[in-house]
Amino acid sequence: MKKTFNISAEPPSGLTGPAWWFVFSKRKMLVASADRETAPPLIRDPTELGVPANGRIFLGTLEDRPCYAAALFEPPALPVGLRFQDLWGLREQLASEFIPIAFRALHLLDWTNKTRFCKRCGTPMQTKAGPPARECPQCGYLSFPRISPAVIVLVEKDNQCLLASSPRFKGDFYSVLAGFAEPGETLEETVAREVREETGIEVTDIRYFGSQPWPFPDSLMIGFTARYAGGEIRVDGEEILDARWFTADQLPNIPGKISIARQLIDWFVRKQQ
């Protein structure tokens, strides 16, 4: 059974036992491996491992176990069994309950690093008590974690789905279409515009599918499905290199299971069975 993570801004009054520590150096996370399992270190404090962690943030609790985030500027030499690994590369290794916590940790650490100084007057910012916020002691400016909404959509045409290849992708694979919402747009309008701009296709019957935090660096991916309404595939060769219609039994290389892109594709495949 998957364990429950409860977001909280109020840390326990004292560390009475080990906690899960999500320690990052840039975008690489500290993990421990034992008995074929990979997880964040379960310790009282990173200093136990000789890790001089900075920017500590309480994330919440996994079951009744506290979870913390911390940042490192330069990774030290590590004891045997510990390593720093890119979070993207850990997507198939970490237990599913750790993924959203790691995403929250990375997002908040990145935001904290970007708000060290007040954007209005340049004064060093301070952490404000309560929900995540940074406050300028000089002018009172408040900064909250930025969340950038982006849509991601699977387009269906009969028994086929529209997948595209982009130069931004790591590796040779295809995925569903995605793009950021523009000021003044509804999410449904963003879906129609992005599909049109990237492939020349018109869509209809746009329906909400689900969402996923995506801290690379601060996105919230909002998933949709849509049906083909007209047009021929045209790509610009820059943002999108290729786009095609695929059947469920002839899919190309597709994203890993950590992503909502894969959830959309898996949903399409199940419909064809």
Side-chain angles (χ1 to χ4, degrees):
M1 182 181 295
K2 185 176 179 179
K3 297 179 181 179
T4 301
F5 175 62
N6 296 303
I7 291 176
S8 174
E10 297 296 331
S13 57
L15 287 176
T16 57
W20 294 112
W21 281 87
F22 294 78
V23 181
F24 282 85
S25 177
K26 298 181 179 179
R27 299 200 177 279
K28 293 185 176 181
M29 190 173 106
L30 181 65
V31 291
S33 297
D35 300 325
R36 298 183 180 181
E37 292 186 357
T38 299
L42 182 61
I43 51 179
R44 291 178 182 272
D45 190 271
T47 54
E48 294 178 13
L49 307 174
V51 176
N54 302 293
R56 300 163 186 239
I57 301 171
F58 177 65
L59 303 169
T61 56
L62 181 62
E63 297 297 297
D64 293 325
R65 186 83 69 182
C67 300
Y68 291 86
L72 285 177
F73 297 115
E74 292 293 336
L78 295 172
V80 175
L82 293 174
R83 70 183 188 278
F84 278 97
Q85 186 170 337
D86 185 272
L87 183 56
W88 182 256
L90 286 169
R91 62 191 186 277
E92 306 295 344
Q93 300 176 37
L94 287 176
S96 59
E97 59 261 29
F98 292 129
I99 297 296
I101 312 174
F103 280 6
R104 176 172 170 80
L106 181 58
H107 193 151
L108 291 177
L109 289 169
D110 183 75
W111 162 72
T112 300
N113 183 55
K114 290 177 178 177
T115 54
R116 287 181 294 169
F117 299 95
C118 176
K119 62 187 297 184
R120 184 182 291 166
C121 69
T123 301
M125 298 281 275
Q126 297 178 350
T127 299
K128 186 175 174 61
R134 303 272 284 168
E135 184 176 25
C136 175
Q138 180 67 30
C139 70
Y141 173 76
L142 280 174
S143 174
F144 299 93
R146 174 178 175 175
I147 299 176
S148 302
V151 302
I152 185 165
V153 55
L154 183 137
V155 181
E156 293 183 275
K157 179 184 179 184
D158 301 324
N159 65 336
Q160 302 172 97
C161 67
L162 181 63
L163 301 178
S165 176
S166 167
R168 302 188 307 272
F169 293 164
K170 296 180 180 180
D172 179 23
F173 66 86
Y174 285 68
S175 186
V176 294
L177 301 175
F180 288 98
E182 294 283 351
E185 274 187 329
T186 67
L187 295 175
E188 291 79 6
E189 289 169 341
T190 302
V191 167
R193 175 182 57 77
E194 285 290 341
V195 175
R196 184 187 309 114
E197 289 179 353
E198 294 189 348
T199 65
I201 297 298
E202 299 292 336
V203 296
T204 187
D205 194 23
I206 299 169
R207 299 189 180 189
Y208 175 74
F209 176 84
S211 62
Q212 180 182 41
W214 200 247
F216 302 100
D218 51 27
S219 299
L220 175 64
M221 304 300 293
I222 305 158
F224 290 88
T225 62
R227 288 191 296 110
Y228 168 81
E232 297 295 328
I233 294 176
R234 300 186 309 275
V235 300
D236 60 13
E238 296 180 3
E239 186 172 355
I240 298 295
L241 300 177
D242 186 33
R244 307 179 195 177
W245 296 103
F246 293 92
T247 58
D249 59 349
Q250 293 184 327
L251 292 174
N253 292 330
I254 56 177
K257 293 185 179 296
I258 188 177
S259 67
I260 192 171
R262 179 59 177 268
Q263 295 172 31
L264 282 160
I265 295 170
D266 287 347
W267 169 85
F268 167 76
V269 171
R270 288 193 298 270
K271 285 186 61 180
Q272 312 307 311
Q273 296 173 347

